Amino acid sequence: MAQTALAISFVDAKIEYSTDGAAWNDISGEVNTVEVSGGDRNSGEIFTAAGDIPIITFGKLNPWDVSCTVVYTESATEAFERLRGFHQATGGTSLQLRWAPIGSGTGNSQYTCGTSKLTSFEMPGGEVGGGEPLSVAFVQRTPSITKGTT
């Protein structure tokens, strides 16, 4: 098989959040990374005296953790303050995250989290001499991620 010529990077990604699933807030200009983990399927195994290999069965899917790093700012209208408020609200605020790896062009793939809450949210900190922009990370634990198109 020939090597693919269709590889892409995340350089033009569009990242958004919504608290109602209808109005989406673009935070692409503040997000530095999106990392996805989890979603593995439960499995079990048992050995019997008559065999040398296990009997394996499969169960339900586990939740996904979507971790994003955002640039720290003190503007009430930018991602850090809005998302911090959602995390710290009594009981947490339900929201959805979605991202399109190659941007919002018509027909591009887009991944949308099921409605859930942020499970962790960092506060700013860092090394005083470096000069790098401050950033913080947050995690949304979601029951599902669906693939659609923009």
Side-chain angles (χ1 to χ4, degrees):
M1 175 179 208
Q3 181 173 322
T4 185
L6 302 175
I8 61 169
S9 72
F10 211 62
V11 69
D12 291 323
K14 183 168 186 175
I15 302 99
E16 301 170 292
Y17 75 86
S18 176
T19 56
D20 63 9
W24 290 88
N25 300 280
D26 185 355
I27 55 173
S28 303
E30 300 154 63
V31 174
N32 176 259
T33 62
V34 176
E35 296 178 0
V36 182
S37 62
D40 50 316
R41 184 171 296 280
N42 285 318
S43 64
E45 58 193 52
I46 191 168
F47 289 89
T48 66
D52 193 36
I53 60 173
I55 298 168
I56 301 173
T57 56
F58 299 91
K60 308 286 184 178
L61 291 172
N62 283 302
W64 299 87
D65 286 323
V66 179
S67 175
C68 296
T69 303
V70 297
V71 176
Y72 170 75
T73 70
E74 296 186 351
S75 170
T77 62
E78 293 195 356
F80 174 80
E81 278 300 323
R82 287 185 172 186
L83 295 168
R84 183 192 61 78
F86 297 153
H87 178 65
Q88 292 185 342
T90 301
T93 300
S94 293
L95 63 110
Q96 290 177 276
L97 294 172
R98 74 179 182 189
W99 62 97
I102 59 173
S104 60
T106 303
N108 290 345
S109 293
Q110 178 174 267
Y111 299 86
T112 304
C113 295
T115 301
S116 62
K117 298 178 181 180
L118 301 180
T119 56
S120 68
F121 194 91
E122 292 180 348
M123 291 296 134
E127 195 268 315
V128 298
E132 294 84 12
L134 289 177
S135 63
V136 299
F138 65 87
V139 176
Q140 180 187 27
R141 176 159 280 199
T142 182
S144 62
I145 299 175
T146 56
K147 181 181 179 184
T149 56
T150 56

